[in-house]
């Protein structure tokens, strides 16, 4: 017999975990939560220091981009969680709401609900700054946020002191405005362990609700329709196809998979679908388009004069958001970011000294203007998708990146780091011309892991979802995850994804 739910949530990642938990608070609402992966079984997931080591394991979708002409024709690895908790089981745990001005394009796209002020109650609803309560923070939500104090590495402290000496303001944390300045990262860690969004929202008590069914190991092939209404989905479990029906389908499969599921279901650009051998059911030209991501140069690496003490947090301890034209500016959304990693962090193919002998300053652009696209490689889930982020395609991105690298080096060469700095290893003392810096950036730029925008939300005709996050042209299908972000915020996006989910869940009962 076909299973039937009032609401079927596809993907138990950051957004899907929060939505399934909130919707199932109403005991009369039968919620199905479908996830391709399984419950996390690898103890390394919980260890904050192992987040870089767990990529590529069997719970990683392990996507790869097409070769990127502006990053030395490199193919970039894109890890994504295939596990209950999704990418929040792989992420680096930094919790950054974003700068309030980051949400101005969201408000333009979808109205006041998507402004910073409109989202603020939902950021706060998700947050538990239990040990650091403040009126500007959420204090009683499921998602713990810690502000590390004594655990911060002495190298990260010296890097922040260098930033301050250059004029960057000191800020208390990344989540009470302004965002610009120096602070250790706020982190989703509880009792020394990673707190994935599933750990926070899908507690054993929530999973025990009689009206919530978690179907893990179910990979969605496509949505099935009666005209403009979804009847349900076709899933594959243990190589067997199974239909699951629902009154409403909510795609929370993430910025890569949500547009792919829509396109496999015949929702997309007719020509792109035809090339992949898919019949077009509803024309929606921007499905998979508007792909945005942050890049970080890995990295401006320094050999240390003395052994680097191992990180007591998650290696990458302090993101520093700045205005490149005036690093002292405390207001307005920043255009560059630096980061301090208390370990050598070099892109593939670049020299990386031994662990414990070096540290790294990362740099990148907060609001890249290059836009990429995701396309299906064929009609089924087994066809490898074509992921083309168009990295560094615009001159703005390349010039701003170069400026970010110059400022990273100013910080790295500052006397506040003299106690630690021996020699610069990457890009190295010989790299001083703009051409040399550009060449280094092309070889060093790597994803900061924030792909988004591929099912853009907006009131205009070409947007994929409307401001209620309903897929245009369909009556009962919604996308609620990183895909709907119209323009990438300054920082890591997990906090914003959870706030999107909280906001949508609060409005869901009113959406027929
Ligand atoms: C290595 C790494 C480091 C990061 N670091 C940070 C950080 O420090 N701070 C931060 O804020 N953000 C960080 N991010 C980004 C952040 O984790 C993501 O933006 C966020 O988790 C996205 O949430 P989502 O709900 O959109 O998608 P996901 O969390 O990826 O969830 C999608 C879910 O859908 C499932 N799914 C996909 N396709 C199907 C299908 N066909 N059938 C069934 N299920 C399916 C997936 O298995 C997954 O569980 C990082 C990400 C990575 C990978």
């Amino acid at each position: 017999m076909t299973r039937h739910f009032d609401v079927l949530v596809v993907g138990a990642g950051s957004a899907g975990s929060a939505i399934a938990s909130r919707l199932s608070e109403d005991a009369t609402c039968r919620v199905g939560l479908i996830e391709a992966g399984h419950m996390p079984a690898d103890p390394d997931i919980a260890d904050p220091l192992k987040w870089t080591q767990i990529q590529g394991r069997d719970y990683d979708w392990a996507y790869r981009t097409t070769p990127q002409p502006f990053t030395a024709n490199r193919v970039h690895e894109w890890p994504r969680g295939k596990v209950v908790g999704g990418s929040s089981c792989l992420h680096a745990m930094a919790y950054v709401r974003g700068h309030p001005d980051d949400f101005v394009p969201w408000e333009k796209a979808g109205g006041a609900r998507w402004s910073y002020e409109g989202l603020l109650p939902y950021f706060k609803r998700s947050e538990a700054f239990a040990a650091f309560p403040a009126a500007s923070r959420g204090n009683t939500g499921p998602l713990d946020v810690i502000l590390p104090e004594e655990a911060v590495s002495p190298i990260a402290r010296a890097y922040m002191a260098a930033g301050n000496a250059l004029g960057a303001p000191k800020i208390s944390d990344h989540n009470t405005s302004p965002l610009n300045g120096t602070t250790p990262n706020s982190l989703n860690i509880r009792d020394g362990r990673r707190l994935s969004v599933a750990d926070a929202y899908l507690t054993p008590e929530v999973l025990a609700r009689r009206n919530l069914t978690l179907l893990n190991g179910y990979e969605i092939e496509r949505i099935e329709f009666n005209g403009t209404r979804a009847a349900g989905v076709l899933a594959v479990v243990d190589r067997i196809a199974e239909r699951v029906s629902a009154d409403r389908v909510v795609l929370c499969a993430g910025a890569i998979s949500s547009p792919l599921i829509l396109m496999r279901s015949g929702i997309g650009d007719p020509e792109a679908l035809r090339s992949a051998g898919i019949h077009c059911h509803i024309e929606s030209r921007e499905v998979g388009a508007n792909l945005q991501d942050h890049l970080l140069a890995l990295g401006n690496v320094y050999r240390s004069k003395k052994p680097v003490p191992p990180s007591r947090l998650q290696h990458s301890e302090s993101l520093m958001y700045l205005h490149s034209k005036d690093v002292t500016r405390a207001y307005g959304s920043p255009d560059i970011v630096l980061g301090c990693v208390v370990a050598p962090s070099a892109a593939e193919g670049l020299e990386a000294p031994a662990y414990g002998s070096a540290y790294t300053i990362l740099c990148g652009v907060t609001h890249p203007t290059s836009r990429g696209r995701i396309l299906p490689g064929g009609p089924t889930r087994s066809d490898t998708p074509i992921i083309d982020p168009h990295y560094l395609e615009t001159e703005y991105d390349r010039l701003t990146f170069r400026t970010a690298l110059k400022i990273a080096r100013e910080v790295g060469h500052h006397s506040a780091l003299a106690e630690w700095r021996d020699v610069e290893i990457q890009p190295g003392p010989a790299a001083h011309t703009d051409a040399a810096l550009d060449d280094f950036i092309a070889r060093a730029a790597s994803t900061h892991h924030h792909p988004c925008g591929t099912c853009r939300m907006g009131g205009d005709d070409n947007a994929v979802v409307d401001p209620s996050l309903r897929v245009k042209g369909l009556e009962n299908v919604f996308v609620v995850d990183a895909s709907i972000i119209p323009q990438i915020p300054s920082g890591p996006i997990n906090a914003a994804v959870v706030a999107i989910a909280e906001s949508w869940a609060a409005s869901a009962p009113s959406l027929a």
Side-chain angles (χ1 to χ4, degrees), residues 9-17 33-36 83-86 88 198 202 214 252-253:
V9 180
V10 176
S14 297
S17 298
L33 175 58
I34 283 201
E35 166 57 44
V83 57
V84 174
S88 75
L202 297 177
L214 170 65
C252 300

Side-chain angles (χ1 to χ4, degrees), residues 10-16 34-37 51 55 61 63 78-88 90-96 197 218-221 252-255 257-258 261 264 314 381 448-451 480-483 491-495 497:
V10 176
S14 297
I34 283 201
E35 166 57 44
W51 75 269
Q55 295 166 21
W61 290 89
Y63 292 110
W78 275 18
R80 295 278 101 191
K82 185 178 189 178
V83 57
V84 174
S87 298
S88 75
L90 298 187
H91 75 7
M93 292 149 280
Y95 184 84
V96 185
V197 182
Y218 279 63
E219 191 169 333
I220 301 302
E221 185 70 77
C252 300
S257 215
S258 285
I261 292 173
R264 290 203 295 269
Q314 33 61 283
R381 74 198 157 82
H448 197 179
H449 306 293
H450 307 150
V480 190
D481 60 24
S483 327
I493 61 173
N494 194 52
V497 170

Side-chain angles (χ1 to χ4, degrees), residues 491-507:
I493 61 173
N494 194 52
V497 170
V498 176
I500 291 167
E502 285 276 14
S503 169
W504 188 82
S507 71

